[in-house]
Amino acid sequence: MLIGIEQTMSAAHDLMRSNGIRHLPVLHGGKLVGIVSLRDLHLVETFRDVDPDEIRVEEAMTQDVYAVEPKTPLKDVVSEMAQRKLGSAVVIDGSKVVGVFTTTDALDTLAGVLAGPQGV
């Protein structure tokens, strides 16, 4: 799931809700320019006179996106996310967004490792 920079915060909420996600890469002209999280949207909506049907995603997004290639080692990705206290990494193949790796994904992976081959 992706969203365009010109879309409204309400549109972002709708996409997140209908797809059960909390992060959306933001594109402008097909290029990754930011990421918006559910938390970002909620924060902006606390400001006075904010109408989510009129305010664009651009106003809530983070421009400093941590982007990685699909073959980036997982240990490198999670180390960087932990060090920078990031909730997600956008996975890009060339200039195309192919996914989002989140802290929830990292915790799912950790749970699998801790369970071991026996599922203990």
Side-chain angles (χ1 to χ4, degrees):
M1 297 275 67
L2 310 165
I3 194 160
I5 198 168
E6 72 287 344
Q7 296 295 311
T8 65
M9 290 174 42
S10 292
H13 269 295
D14 291 345
L15 265 176
M16 290 177 181
R17 189 173 20 259
S18 64
N19 291 283
I21 58 175
R22 295 181 298 140
H23 298 84
L24 281 173
V26 181
L27 303 182
H28 181 67
K31 181 181 174 196
L32 179 66
V33 294
I35 190 161
V36 66
S37 71
L38 191 56
R39 183 185 213 176
D40 296 332
L41 295 175
H42 287 310
L43 175 65
V44 172
E45 289 168 353
T46 65
F47 300 146
R48 180 181 302 220
D49 298 327
V50 169
D51 181 351
D53 291 326
E54 293 182 15
I55 303 294
R56 294 174 11 159
V57 169
E58 179 178 28
E59 300 299 319
M61 75 178 193
T62 299
Q63 293 179 359
D64 183 21
V65 181
Y66 176 47
V68 298
E69 296 179 354
K71 293 187 179 197
T72 304
L74 184 58
K75 67 179 179 59
D76 295 347
V77 175
V78 297
S79 292
E80 186 72 15
M81 288 174 65
Q83 181 180 5
R84 292 174 51 187
K85 295 180 175 41
L86 300 173
S88 64
V90 177
V91 183
I92 56 170
D93 191 1
S95 62
K96 182 180 178 186
V97 175
V98 295
V100 178
F101 181 80
T102 67
T103 52
T104 301
D105 298 323
L107 289 172
D108 284 343
T109 301
L110 178 59
V113 169
L114 293 175
Q118 307 275 332
V120 179

